[in-house]
Amino acid sequence: MGGIVPMGNSGHPGALPATSDEMSRLLTAVRRGRVLTVTGPVREQRALLVREIARRVASNFYDGVTFVSLERTTGVRELVEALGCVPGMPFLPCGGANAASWLAERDMLLVVEGCDRLDAAALGWLRKLLAVAPGVRLLAAGRYPLIMEQERVHRL
């Protein structure tokens, strides 16, 4: 099966790429902040870390955690469609404004893997979503930060 195997600070396959102190700070950042972006060159390490963070904080969100993994450049329409296709997510109304209105009433963690694939319009939509949805937190993983207000960045 080849490929890159995530290696944490311990050097063992599957180990988290964060120390326990770093993990504690990251969990607090998600619970108290609005945006946390995990950056680094290895996608598997970023994904491993954000999925573990999401698993550990899921019970903090009434509406749970929603994962979106982006494989190609994504605009608003594709992002909203991806959100509507997430297992367990009720069908979102068509259009970015309607989806943002629906999400504005939620208490949830939105996890976006591959956030560096979001185009400028999709990033703008996420900024607007965070402005109208006080219960939504964003946990992102990508090669680069999102450059959002209140964003905390953790570099691997």
Side-chain angles (χ1 to χ4, degrees):
M1 284 254 173
I4 298 172
V5 177
M7 296 283 191
N9 291 333
S10 67
H12 297 111
L16 288 176
T19 66
S20 60
D21 286 344
E22 287 172 326
M23 181 58 85
S24 179
R25 286 191 297 275
L26 294 170
L27 295 171
T28 299
V30 171
R31 289 182 187 114
R32 295 184 183 167
R34 294 300 308 275
V35 182
L36 172 63
T37 304
V38 174
T39 65
V42 182
R43 182 179 180 134
E44 290 82 4
Q45 287 182 336
R46 297 186 311 252
L48 178 68
L49 185 55
V50 297
R51 287 181 179 268
E52 180 61 18
I53 292 168
R55 185 189 69 76
R56 291 186 188 190
V57 299
S59 65
N60 289 255
F61 298 94
Y62 181 80
D63 294 305
V65 177
T66 298
F67 288 92
V68 175
S69 183
L70 306 175
E71 299 299 325
R72 63 183 189 282
T73 301
T74 303
V76 174
R77 181 178 175 180
E78 295 87 6
L79 180 58
V80 171
E81 286 175 3
L83 284 168
C85 292
V86 170
M89 176 70 79
F91 177 76
L92 290 172
C94 293
N98 291 337
S101 294
W102 187 87
L103 289 166
E105 300 175 12
R106 305 291 166 248
D107 177 36
M108 65 184 288
L109 177 62
L110 174 58
V111 180
V112 179
E113 293 179 356
C115 66
D116 44 309
R117 293 182 172 97
L118 293 168
D119 70 13
L123 282 171
W125 185 82
L126 279 175
R127 286 183 183 99
K128 289 177 186 173
L129 172 65
L130 291 173
V132 301
V136 173
R137 303 287 185 270
L138 177 60
L139 174 57
R143 289 176 287 174
Y144 312 104
L146 293 171
I147 315 299
M148 290 190 162
E149 188 175 322
Q150 300 179 359
E151 178 181 22
R152 175 156 181 207
V153 177
H154 178 75
R155 290 174 177 79
L156 294 178

